Amino acid sequence: MFVHAGVEHILGNLLMQLLLGIPLELVHKGFEVGMVYMAGVLAGSLASSIFDPLSALVGASGGVYALMGGYFMNAVVNFREMIPLVGVFRILVIVLIVGTDVGFAIYRRFIVHDTAMKVSFVAHIGGGVAGMTIGYVFFTNYDKALLKDPRFWMCIVGYIAFFLFAVIFNIFLSPAQ
């Protein structure tokens, strides 16, 4: 997450971190936002090592996409407490940004045939999914009823199961050298 593929790459990640991280930290604690970010970095790296093990992996895109996924889940979960037009706008902006960026990443990976090293886009998807699951856990208004919600536990168990599977896969089955 500290190594990037150029100035544009790091500036894009920093811009998205600021645009998403600051509003999330204004509502939630910095620890919660940091946990979602780190869960995305780990999940993005592990997903890339499983589904795209021979590609280069640089940047903080897993963490940035986790913030996007967490921001998305924050908007979905807390939609009733927002002005409806604001909630719809927030959700549509995230869907538009993610759709455009993932579309360009897939295009650059599979359509453009240049001699440069192929960069993995799987970390974006893994980070986004982690952000939605862990973001649901951390960005939901916490109360004792949340502990009885099966979705809460499905998110936690799902993330831990993926994490353990990915680590075991990388130790015993990974085709990467």
Side-chain angles (χ1 to χ4, degrees), residues 37-107:
Y37 183 83
M38 289 306 297
V41 169
L42 286 172
S45 297
L46 290 170
S48 183
S49 70
I50 291 173
F51 297 109
D52 203 7
L54 303 177
S55 294
L57 184 63
V58 294
S61 298
V64 170
Y65 268 75
L67 291 179
M68 285 187 210
Y71 193 84
F72 177 81
M73 287 308 291
N74 185 33
V76 169
V77 169
N78 301 316
F79 189 81
R80 290 188 183 118
E81 298 167 13
M82 293 182 225
I83 300 169
L85 190 59
V86 172
V88 169
F89 177 76
R90 288 174 62 190
I91 291 170
L92 286 177
V93 165
I94 291 296
V95 169
L96 181 67
I97 290 170
V98 169
T100 303
D101 191 49
V102 169
F104 278 126
I106 291 172
Y107 173 77

Side-chain angles (χ1 to χ4, degrees), residues 12-38 60 63-72 74 90 94 97 139:
N13 278 337
L14 285 172
L15 178 67
M16 292 307 295
Q17 287 174 8
L18 290 173
L19 289 175
L20 297 167
I22 290 174
L24 285 171
E25 284 192 19
L26 289 174
V27 176
H28 306 284
K29 297 175 185 144
F31 173 77
E32 295 169 341
V33 176
M35 290 298 290
V36 171
Y37 183 83
M38 289 306 297
V64 170
Y65 268 75
L67 291 179
M68 285 187 210
Y71 193 84
F72 177 81
N74 185 33
R90 288 174 62 190
I94 291 296
I97 290 170
F139 298 154

